[in-house]
Structure formats: C-alpha cells, structure tokens
C-alpha cells in the first residue's frame, strides 16, 4: 500500500506532465492559428492554462493526508 506522501508526489509529477503538455510549442502554435474574426485566442488560452495549473497545484497541496 502506498503512503499518502508518495501518492501526492505521483500527482504532482502528473501535474507537471500536464503543464508541459499545455505549454508545448505545437499546442500553442495550433491555438495561435485558430481562425478568428477580431481577436487572437492565444492570450485567453495562456491565461486559462496558467490558471488551471495554479488551481490544480493549490488543490493538490491543500488536500489533507487523512482522506
């Protein structure tokens, strides 16, 4: 049975992998080239991706070990 510390570490490593994927150049280029009428979607995507990473990090770090 795994301890809660090793499970938290596994989740943080998974979060790091998600963050690397969200900020990888191919995905950013794909979002930047989305067809738009009046605006670029890149700033909105970066804001949402960054907020998601921060929110998930805070959620993972605040979880109690007793759960």
């Amino acid at each position: 049975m795994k301890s809660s510390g090793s499970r938290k570490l596994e989740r943080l490593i998974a979060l790091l992998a998600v963050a690397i994927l969200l900020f990888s150049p191919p995905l950013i280029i794909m979002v930047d080239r989305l067809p738009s009428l009046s605006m670029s979607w890149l700033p909105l995507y970066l804001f949402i991706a960054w907020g998601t990473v921060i929110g998930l990090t805070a959620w993972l770090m605040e979880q109690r070990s007793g759960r």
Side-chain angles (χ1 to χ4, degrees), residues 17 20 29 56 67:
I20 289 171
I29 289 170
L56 286 173
R67 286 189 197 182

Side-chain angles (χ1 to χ4, degrees), residues 4-57:
S4 63
S6 68
R7 202 170 274 251
K8 183 183 258 187
L9 179 64
E10 289 174 358
R11 289 179 180 163
L12 287 173
I13 290 171
L15 177 63
L16 177 65
V18 167
I20 289 171
L21 177 69
L22 284 174
F23 294 105
S24 66
L27 189 59
I28 291 176
I29 289 170
M30 189 173 68
V31 170
D32 191 34
R33 293 186 180 168
L34 283 175
S36 64
L37 298 174
S38 63
M39 67 174 241
S40 171
W41 290 102
L42 184 59
L44 180 64
Y45 170 78
L46 291 174
F47 180 76
I48 290 172
W50 189 250
T52 301
V53 170
I54 290 173
L56 286 173
T57 303

